[in-house]
Amino acid sequence: MAEPRAVNRRRLLGGGAAVAGAAGIGWGAASSSTRAVTTARDPMATVPFHGPHQAGIATAPPDHAAFVALDLRPGATRADVIGVLKIWTDDAARLTQGGPALGDTEPELARRPSRLTVTVGLGPKVFGVAGVQARRPSWLAPLPPFTIDRLEPAWCDGDLVLQVCADEPTAVAHAVRVLCKGVASLVTVRWVQRGFRNAEPGASPRNLMGQVDGTVNIAPGTADFDRLVWDDGAAQPWLRGGTSLVLRRIAMTLDTWDEIDRDGRELTVGRTLDTGAPLTGTKESDDPDFAAVDRYGIPVIPPSSHIARAHHTSEGERFLRRGYNYDDAPIPGHTSNSGLLFAAFQRDVAAQYLPVQKRLAEFDALNVWTVPVGSAVFVILPGVRTPGDYLGQSLFEG
Amino acid sequence: MAEPRAVNRRRLLGGGAAVAGAAGIGWGAASSSTRAVTTARDPMATVPFHGPHQAGIATAPPDHAAFVALDLRPGATRADVIGVLKIWTDDAARLTQGGPALGDTEPELARRPSRLTVTVGLGPKVFGVAGVQARRPSWLAPLPPFTIDRLEPAWCDGDLVLQVCADEPTAVAHAVRVLCKGVASLVTVRWVQRGFRNAEPGASPRNLMGQVDGTVNIAPGTADFDRLVWDDGAAQPWLRGGTSLVLRRIAMTLDTWDEIDRDGRELTVGRTLDTGAPLTGTKESDDPDFAAVDRYGIPVIPPSSHIARAHHTSEGERFLRRGYNYDDAPIPGHTSNSGLLFAAFQRDVAAQYLPVQKRLAEFDALNVWTVPVGSAVFVILPGVRTPGDYLGQSLFEG
């Protein structure tokens, strides 16, 4: 525990278990850091539903989230897809504003929206079913396989997705229930993944490995954000204002992570555990200096470290991270079942997300303790600008 | 939907689906109502660890809870049991006060206790293993089988139990991880059940059926509470200041619950959905009047209703309810997997809990939509009065 940092750093740099593996988690790059500010928890607070973009992306992340993937029932038609989207539009417009859904059987559970957002996306298959194959974004497909993957089909893919977020889990539970049962004749639930995040004041939240996670991110309201997250309609005019979601379920092998001491952990990630500052800095918001070396000539931030590998090599390799921790009931024989719901939003999966994922899959010191067990890619529909319109309307009627 | 209440009531009283089944949920009785007050969420708030009783019982329930059952490994000895309890005592004393556990590998996750409590109990088998069989409380055994039960072994029993509560799920996750891994050589995790609750200001929380749940309860700090919850040491001197926990996992069949209209739901429970007031009252805190009849001579609160059946027939048939909602990932082919972690604390399971459970199992209109799928009984150890002492010390050394 008391080994000097340089010794540990050499051990890490010299290979061995700490660098032998190959999963991207808490992808931290550098420069122009910004982060979501911790918001007060007001159970009556609402997030606007209507607008050029769906809520739940530029929205500061609430404490709780559920990601729900659904599959169209066999024989589903274009009309069925439109039907689902119309129902969800109406439900989401009401629930997010603190009102009950139409025919809500538990209207009292809708009274405390606590910043509820509902964000809707489509998987690849829907475009064929709905006869709009030519409008499918080129990047909308499962990610290519990576050697680090240990994917379980139960956590992969899906025809439709709902991201439901709120500060109170009761609001999430009620919205998920309403949204799923209202379309139960047309779709089946494929998987549900629930998560939480609790940020310290003025800091990014911590993952269950204890690391400050999500430091480097792109800030809503900036030109970077608008350019990197929102589709501009150049390739697919119907998609203007939409984006994409990559959801990776990343299991943490906490039992072996416990075997590595604090210095080793910090060198693995490239940040201090205490504040999340890069090893070359003193504050979480400091930019990492990947060129800095110590008196032995050894890089202060190991080139094998997570933040060094995750660092974007061009401005285009950036995306919005909006992840949640998960902590499910352990499978028999295990002590815990924890990890990260790594949610990434970007205009173009191929151009922005894949290069970083490939680089991390190829090598990232953190890969020893992180295992991707789920993976899914969805196109996130543009927002509903006008009450009465429905999610996806530009895809079908534009 | 617009049927007059009397018609529905007759239908309910006359039998049929609504009264055909036989599970106790949200057990509401009457008189001397009190309830926990919603507390502000301060991430730095702590609940004292030391005292004559363990925390987490008289403590106003935080928003999140995990119940963890563990089994002793084969060959475990008295020394092992004492070892587990000493480790847990030290961990809980530190974590609940906002500090890291000894050797905590993620000390930063301990920084925001958010009213963390850790409550420790023992199952029946431990008394034999530890050679203290004569000190086993007479009521410490699995509940007798009920015809309503559809118990799954995965959610039943256990040698030891941890109840871990906090307002932030990260604090719960970290504490559970620390407490489980610190004793992993001596015990295995049997099950983990996680839940949440969100109360409206000045009201009891709602369950996922939409009902105000937990209205009638016994209030910490009253003579009733002290008499009904805390063991007085009369039968087992070592247990003075302890109590018992009955944990029932009660699944809600929400799909069929959706088929019943609001009047039917209110008659099933005996309370309004809007405010939780008894059908004979206007406020949640009003005492139900089971003798009141309408102009047709029909009882306003149906005798088959949940609150009528759950109503204690003597003052001794009362206990502290401290339940949490659960909303887990659905099993394939289902839309949801929701219910209640019904946690009841009482001095004597046989005298206080069982009569009510038997009455509800025999008949309760709500049983049609509630299914007990898990059941466990534990003795909750007395508190640790003096720093340096350990949980269960009076059992082994008294």
Side-chain angles (χ1 to χ4, degrees):
Chain A
M1 295 291 260
E3 278 186 293
R5 172 162 292 172
V7 174
N8 272 307
R9 191 178 311 150
R10 280 210 198 86
R11 196 170 64 192
L12 191 76
L13 289 166
V19 289
I25 191 167
W27 294 2
S31 79
S32 46
S33 313
T34 53
R35 81 175 74 87
V37 174
T38 305
T39 55
R41 289 172 88 269
D42 171 6
M44 305 314 290
T46 57
V47 176
F49 175 75
H50 292 99
H53 316 294
Q54 289 194 71
I57 301 164
T59 312
D63 287 357
H64 294 273
F67 296 87
V68 184
L70 306 100
D71 288 335
L72 293 166
R73 289 187 183 271
T77 64
R78 173 187 172 102
D80 291 339
V81 174
I82 294 173
V84 168
L85 294 172
K86 284 184 172 174
I87 291 168
W88 282 352
T89 303
D90 191 74
D91 287 346
R94 294 171 191 267
L95 290 169
T96 57
Q97 303 313 301
L102 269 184
D104 198 326
T105 48
E106 288 84 25
E108 289 82 5
L109 293 182
R111 284 182 185 167
R112 287 160 67 91
S114 60
R115 300 201 294 132
L116 177 71
T117 60
V118 175
T119 315
V120 175
L122 306 178
K125 192 179 128 190
V126 171
F127 288 80
V129 168
V132 288
Q133 194 64 270
R135 294 185 164 201
R136 174 173 157 180
S138 59
W139 43 258
L140 183 58
L143 296 186
F146 299 100
T147 53
I148 54 171
D149 288 353
R150 298 291 179 272
L151 301 184
E152 301 167 18
W155 303 121
C156 292
D157 306 330
D159 293 342
L160 301 113
V161 75
L162 295 165
Q163 176 195 261
V164 180
C165 303
D167 282 323
E168 294 199 345
T170 303
V172 174
H174 176 63
V176 168
R177 170 87 190 147
V178 166
L179 293 161
C180 289
K181 78 181 185 186
V183 296
S185 63
L186 303 171
V187 298
T188 54
V189 174
R190 183 179 178 92
W191 47 251
V192 180
Q193 305 190 50
R194 290 190 173 78
F196 57 89
R197 50 188 287 157
N198 299 122
E200 295 181 29
S204 301
R206 289 182 185 274
N207 64 36
L208 296 179
M209 286 176 148
Q211 304 155 354
V212 174
D213 197 344
T215 301
V216 178
N217 220 338
I218 47 181
T222 62
D224 269 0
F225 188 98
D226 291 346
R227 180 174 54 80
L228 293 163
V229 174
W230 304 128
D231 191 279
D232 59 5
Q236 293 288 357
W238 74 268
L239 187 53
R240 191 164 70 89
T243 185
S244 71
L245 165 64
V246 175
L247 183 68
R248 304 271 289 177
R249 184 180 179 88
I250 301 176
M252 296 172 167
T253 57
L254 295 181
D255 288 339
T256 53
W257 179 245
D258 281 345
E259 293 166 3
I260 182 168
D261 62 22
R262 286 177 70 84
D263 284 348
R265 290 178 175 204
E266 293 184 340
L267 292 165
T268 297
V269 176
R271 293 188 179 277
T272 65
L273 289 164
D274 183 26
T275 64
L279 296 182
T280 52
T282 55
K283 301 189 306 294
E284 186 195 341
S285 56
D286 286 344
D287 286 340
D289 177 0
F290 295 110
V293 295
D294 67 11
R295 60 188 167 128
Y296 305 104
I298 295 173
V300 178
I301 298 175
S304 62
S305 69
H306 179 68
I307 66 166
R309 297 294 298 172
H311 184 63
H312 54 279
T313 60
S314 75
E315 285 301 303
E317 283 182 4
R318 296 162 66 204
F319 46 81
L320 173 69
R321 293 178 294 152
R322 203 170 182 278
Y324 283 84
N325 299 320
Y326 74 84
D327 188 34
D328 290 355
I331 60 170
H334 287 73
T335 303
S336 47
N337 179 5
S338 308
L340 192 68
L341 307 178
F342 184 86
F345 294 89
Q346 54 282 305
R347 190 173 51 76
D348 186 329
V349 175
Q352 295 167 257
Y353 182 93
L354 272 181
V356 184
Q357 173 73 75
K358 281 179 181 163
R359 194 160 57 240
L360 292 175
E362 189 183 302
F363 195 85
D364 170 5
L366 197 57
N367 286 347
V368 177
W369 302 279
T370 56
V371 183
V373 296
S375 183
V377 180
F378 302 97
V379 57
I380 300 297
L381 298 168
V384 176
R385 289 172 182 266
T386 311
D389 288 354
Y390 65 92
L391 285 161
Q393 188 161 345
S394 61
L395 172 59
F396 300 105
E397 300 179 22
Chain B
M1 297 290 261
E3 277 185 293
R5 172 162 294 173
V7 173
N8 271 308
R9 191 178 312 151
R10 279 208 200 86
R11 196 171 63 192
L12 190 76
L13 290 166
V19 290
I25 191 168
W27 293 0
S31 79
S32 47
S33 312
T34 54
R35 79 175 76 86
V37 174
T38 304
T39 55
R41 290 172 87 267
D42 172 5
M44 306 312 292
T46 57
V47 177
F49 174 76
H50 292 100
H53 314 295
Q54 287 195 69
I57 301 163
T59 312
D63 287 355
H64 293 272
F67 296 88
V68 184
L70 306 100
D71 287 335
L72 293 167
R73 289 186 183 271
T77 64
R78 173 186 172 103
D80 292 338
V81 174
I82 294 173
V84 168
L85 294 171
K86 285 185 170 174
I87 291 168
W88 282 352
T89 302
D90 191 75
D91 287 347
R94 293 172 192 265
L95 290 169
T96 58
Q97 303 312 302
L102 267 185
D104 197 326
T105 49
E106 289 83 27
E108 288 81 8
L109 294 181
R111 284 181 185 167
R112 287 159 67 90
S114 59
R115 300 202 295 133
L116 177 72
T117 59
V118 174
T119 315
V120 175
L122 305 179
K125 191 179 128 191
V126 170
F127 289 80
V129 168
V132 287
Q133 196 64 268
R135 295 186 164 199
R136 174 172 158 180
S138 58
W139 44 257
L140 182 59
L143 296 187
F146 300 100
T147 54
I148 55 171
D149 289 352
R150 300 291 180 270
L151 300 184
E152 302 166 18
W155 302 122
C156 292
D157 307 329
D159 293 342
L160 301 114
V161 75
L162 294 165
Q163 175 195 261
V164 180
C165 302
D167 282 323
E168 295 200 344
T170 303
V172 174
H174 177 63
V176 168
R177 169 88 190 147
V178 166
L179 292 161
C180 289
K181 78 181 185 184
V183 297
S185 64
L186 303 172
V187 298
T188 55
V189 174
R190 184 180 178 92
W191 47 253
V192 180
Q193 304 189 52
R194 290 193 172 75
F196 57 90
R197 50 188 286 156
N198 299 124
E200 295 182 28
S204 300
R206 289 183 185 272
N207 65 34
L208 295 180
M209 287 176 148
Q211 304 155 354
V212 174
D213 196 344
T215 302
V216 178
N217 221 338
I218 46 180
T222 63
D224 269 0
F225 188 98
D226 290 346
R227 181 174 53 82
L228 292 163
V229 173
W230 303 129
D231 192 279
D232 61 3
Q236 294 287 359
W238 74 268
L239 187 52
R240 189 163 70 90
T243 184
S244 71
L245 165 64
V246 175
L247 183 68
R248 302 274 288 177
R249 183 179 181 88
I250 301 176
M252 298 172 166
T253 57
L254 295 181
D255 289 338
T256 54
W257 179 245
D258 281 345
E259 294 165 5
I260 182 168
D261 64 21
R262 285 178 70 84
D263 283 349
R265 289 179 176 205
E266 293 184 342
L267 292 164
T268 297
V269 176
R271 293 188 178 276
T272 66
L273 288 164
D274 183 27
T275 63
L279 296 181
T280 52
T282 56
K283 301 189 308 295
E284 186 197 338
S285 58
D286 286 344
D287 285 339
D289 177 359
F290 296 110
V293 295
D294 67 12
R295 59 189 168 127
Y296 307 103
I298 295 175
V300 178
I301 298 175
S304 63
S305 68
H306 179 69
I307 67 166
R309 296 294 297 173
H311 184 62
H312 54 276
T313 59
S314 75
E315 286 300 303
E317 283 183 3
R318 295 163 64 204
F319 45 82
L320 173 69
R321 293 178 295 152
R322 203 171 183 279
Y324 284 83
N325 299 320
Y326 73 84
D327 188 34
D328 288 355
I331 60 169
H334 288 73
T335 302
S336 47
N337 179 5
S338 309
L340 192 67
L341 306 179
F342 184 86
F345 293 89
Q346 53 282 305
R347 191 173 49 77
D348 186 329
V349 175
Q352 295 167 257
Y353 182 93
L354 273 181
V356 185
Q357 172 73 73
K358 281 178 180 160
R359 194 158 60 240
L360 291 175
E362 188 182 305
F363 194 85
D364 170 6
L366 196 57
N367 286 347
V368 178
W369 303 280
T370 55
V371 183
V373 296
S375 184
V377 180
F378 302 97
V379 58
I380 300 296
L381 299 169
V384 176
R385 290 172 180 265
T386 309
D389 287 355
Y390 66 92
L391 285 160
Q393 187 162 347
S394 61
L395 173 59
F396 300 105
E397 301 179 21

